Amino acid sequence: MNHEILNANLSDIPELCEMMKDFYAIDLYPFDEKEAAANFVKFINNNSYGNCFKVVFEGRIAGYIILVKYFSFEFGGEILFLDELFIKPEFQGKSLGKKALEFVKDYSVENNFKIVLLEIENHNEKAKKLYENYGFQNHKRSLMILKN
């Protein structure tokens, strides 16, 4: 399989935004392209937030990964949050999701992160199965949110 996972660049933002728009549409999440583009600029230019990677298959961008860094006393230090993982529908079924998770695992080990967390939509059985097959487990807690 001819794939690479590379750091995203500022020049990738239009395509990243297009993929994010498609990703958010799956669950009818609101999407503001100008805000997303501005956030990508901030995120890509400041690696203290984390990293954005593009998944490239046969020379074409097939998806993206957003990894966010944060600190947790409970988990013993710096941890990694897999904020988003998206593979375009036309590239699904080519094991790119598995390759992306292998990349995330290797990245987390190489960079001494204690754990990798992620959130998943309860209805997304396909993604849940992929994550479980890769070793992710349900945590006994639920995610809550407070919007400002």
Side-chain angles (χ1 to χ4, degrees):
M1 180 187 314
N2 187 10
H3 84 281
E4 296 177 282
I5 299 178
L6 307 169
N7 281 305
N9 302 309
L10 294 176
S11 63
D12 297 318
I13 291 175
E15 193 161 359
L16 291 167
C17 284
E18 194 61 37
M19 288 186 288
M20 184 177 274
K21 180 180 177 182
D22 293 343
F23 187 33
Y24 285 23
I26 294 168
D27 289 302
L28 305 175
Y29 290 159
F31 180 77
D32 180 318
E33 190 167 354
K34 285 184 181 181
E35 181 179 53
N39 283 335
F40 271 121
V41 169
K42 283 186 220 174
F43 194 78
I44 290 171
N45 280 334
N46 187 344
N47 67 3
S48 68
Y49 295 139
N51 295 90
C52 180
F53 299 96
K54 56 188 173 185
V55 179
V56 179
F57 181 77
E58 296 181 350
R60 296 173 51 209
I61 297 179
Y64 70 95
I65 304 165
I66 296 177
L67 299 175
V68 177
K69 303 173 188 177
Y70 71 98
F71 194 92
S72 169
F73 283 87
E74 177 184 355
F75 294 113
E78 282 194 315
I79 64 174
L80 203 55
F81 185 76
L82 175 52
D83 190 42
E84 297 192 9
L85 168 57
F86 178 74
I87 304 296
K88 292 178 182 178
E90 64 266 30
F91 292 98
Q92 293 176 7
K94 299 181 185 316
S95 296
L96 293 175
K98 284 182 185 179
K99 296 294 184 188
L101 289 177
E102 288 172 17
F103 174 83
V104 170
K105 173 66 174 171
D106 292 344
Y107 179 89
S108 70
V109 170
E110 290 166 12
N111 290 280
N112 300 312
F113 289 99
K114 302 295 183 183
I115 63 165
V116 179
L117 295 175
L118 62 82
E119 65 178 323
I120 186 169
E121 292 291 334
N122 290 326
H123 67 83
N124 193 341
E125 290 298 325
K126 185 177 175 184
K128 186 175 181 182
K129 184 178 177 183
L130 172 67
Y131 294 132
E132 287 174 341
N133 286 340
Y134 201 77
F136 282 88
Q137 303 168 10
N138 285 320
H139 195 277
K140 61 185 173 188
R141 297 192 191 116
S142 298
L143 184 66
M144 297 178 73
I145 187 170
L146 173 64
K147 291 187 176 187
N148 291 327

